[in-house]
Amino acid sequence: MSLTPGARLGPYEIVAPLGAGHSVEVVEAVALPLVVRTVCRVLDLERDADRIAAFGLSVWGDHLGRRDGTAFHAYLDELIDRAMEGRAGRVLDTLANPGPAGRPLVWEELIGIASLLLAAGRDTVIGLVAGIGWALTVRPDLLPVLGAVGSKPT
């Protein structure tokens, strides 16, 4: 199947052939929405998905062009405050309020865990998807092999 710039594939528009642009285009169009929605589903933060996606490719930037993490840290502060009140989502709520069987994590511990889950894990998966996209531009012959993984032999 040949896709030319301007063609539509479901909700997506082909901007350029995969190898013609930069891997960032692939990441923004495919990996970022997929990763953000997945992370939010796992962490029970689906109501925050648009806000987390708005950070763009790096949680350290924001829509004003700052690269100091201000927006991300403000979000984390709000998220942990919600967790301490039992309103963040089941994962962080449980860590902040484990009940009589366990010790609740303190604010600083929750910030560390939330940062790791939302920033490091997100960036790792985005890099992985971008790398796969790049590999397929260099070796398009691998695409049929990837499609066959896990399928029944015919």
Side-chain angles (χ1 to χ4, degrees):
M1 177 178 190
S2 176
L3 297 173
T4 58
R8 296 202 66 80
L9 186 61
Y12 302 103
E13 178 181 349
I14 304 303
V15 177
L18 188 59
H22 190 275
S23 64
V24 169
E25 295 170 3
V26 175
V27 171
E28 284 183 311
V30 179
L32 185 60
L34 176 64
V35 168
V36 168
R37 299 270 178 238
T38 302
V39 167
C40 288
R41 171 68 60 103
V42 169
L43 296 178
D44 195 25
L45 297 173
E46 292 174 275
R47 69 180 180 183
D48 294 349
D50 291 336
R51 185 170 178 190
I52 294 168
F55 293 126
L57 295 178
S58 172
V59 295
W60 306 116
D62 67 14
H63 68 282
L64 300 175
R66 295 180 297 205
R67 304 279 310 150
D68 61 1
T70 302
F72 182 61
H73 286 287
Y75 171 71
L76 286 177
D77 290 346
E78 177 190 315
L79 182 63
I80 300 311
D81 287 343
R82 286 185 353 221
M84 301 291 254
E85 297 169 359
R87 301 182 302 109
R90 71 181 170 276
V91 174
L92 293 175
D93 288 355
T94 301
L95 292 172
N97 307 289
R103 174 185 73 82
L105 298 179
V106 297
W107 196 86
E108 291 81 5
E109 292 169 320
L110 288 167
I111 284 286
I113 289 171
S115 294
L116 183 63
L117 293 172
L118 291 172
R122 174 181 185 255
D123 290 348
T124 299
V125 173
I126 288 172
L128 176 63
V129 172
I132 291 168
W134 174 82
L136 290 174
T137 64
V138 177
R139 295 277 315 272
D141 58 299
L142 294 178
L143 189 55
V145 175
L146 289 175
V149 172
S151 62
K152 293 181 181 179
T154 54

